[in-house]
Amino acid sequence: MSLIKWKNNKGIEKPISSLIDSFFGRDINDFLTDWAGTQPAVNLFETKDDYRVEVAVPGMSKEDFNVKLEEDYLIVTGKKEEDKEEKDKNYMRKEFSYSSFERSFYLPSKMVDHEKIEAHYNDGILLVTVPKKEEAKKEQTARQIAIS
């Protein structure tokens, strides 16, 4: 039972976590997990010919990743398991660690060429290149939006 509550627009009392969920559009635990730094940092940028997704994942190897396309979503997952054991005359120590992540990005079919997506891993950075379709490469005009 949540001690902190709020009332929605229908007067129904709910836990504060559901208010936060509705504000962020997802489960608060997912938001806090991302914020706490268990998700790798991502850079997204656009060139004339493609979109690029850079995922900072040092210490992993290319075998630790899975990059797939499901409908219009690019899904990047990574999993790393490490098992370390040291033995000496009077002691034994065994340590293990496990980490995983999943990030997804919406790629509309009308804008990108799903068949030509490429991924490369080098120096701790996973780079996914998503080529634009020809109609998406046409120069778009920018419009300044006033802030009131």
Side-chain angles (χ1 to χ4, degrees):
M1 179 174 150
S2 176
L3 297 177
I4 304 173
K5 297 187 181 266
W6 69 286
K7 288 187 179 181
N8 67 8
N9 59 1
K10 295 179 182 176
I12 299 170
E13 197 171 87
K14 294 188 167 200
I16 195 70
S17 62
S18 65
L19 172 66
I20 296 169
D21 292 350
S22 65
F23 178 77
F24 287 107
R26 61 189 179 150
D27 186 291
I28 185 61
N29 292 324
D30 292 341
F31 173 76
L32 291 174
T33 298
D34 289 353
W35 181 78
T38 58
Q39 294 289 326
V42 173
N43 292 327
L44 303 171
F45 59 97
E46 177 181 9
T47 70
K48 179 182 173 236
D49 298 320
D50 55 36
Y51 298 100
R52 297 187 183 177
V53 179
E54 291 180 331
V55 184
V57 281
M60 296 181 85
S61 64
K62 67 180 187 176
E63 292 79 18
D64 296 330
F65 302 107
N66 184 20
V67 180
K68 64 182 176 180
L69 190 65
E70 282 186 17
E71 296 181 12
D72 284 350
Y73 286 89
L74 175 71
I75 301 170
V76 179
T77 58
K79 180 171 38 173
K80 178 91 173 166
E81 295 180 47
E82 195 170 345
D83 201 357
K84 182 179 177 182
E85 187 173 329
E86 294 180 12
K87 293 182 179 181
D88 199 343
K89 293 178 183 178
N90 297 324
Y91 72 94
M92 182 176 109
R93 180 178 77 178
K94 184 173 183 175
E95 294 182 4
F96 64 93
S97 66
Y98 176 83
S99 61
S100 67
F101 70 90
E102 179 176 307
R103 301 292 302 259
S104 60
F105 308 93
Y106 178 68
L107 302 174
S109 302
K110 64 183 181 178
M111 299 292 289
V112 300
D113 189 344
H114 287 174
E115 299 300 317
K116 296 183 180 175
I117 296 173
E118 295 181 352
H120 302 280
Y121 182 68
N122 190 27
D123 294 333
I125 303 293
L126 175 65
L127 172 64
V128 181
T129 305
V130 182
K132 293 179 182 178
K133 286 187 174 178
E134 287 304 317
E135 54 269 22
K137 291 181 185 179
K138 295 177 184 172
E139 189 172 323
Q140 298 178 7
T141 58
R143 179 174 72 96
Q144 185 66 36
I145 299 171
I147 301 171
S148 58

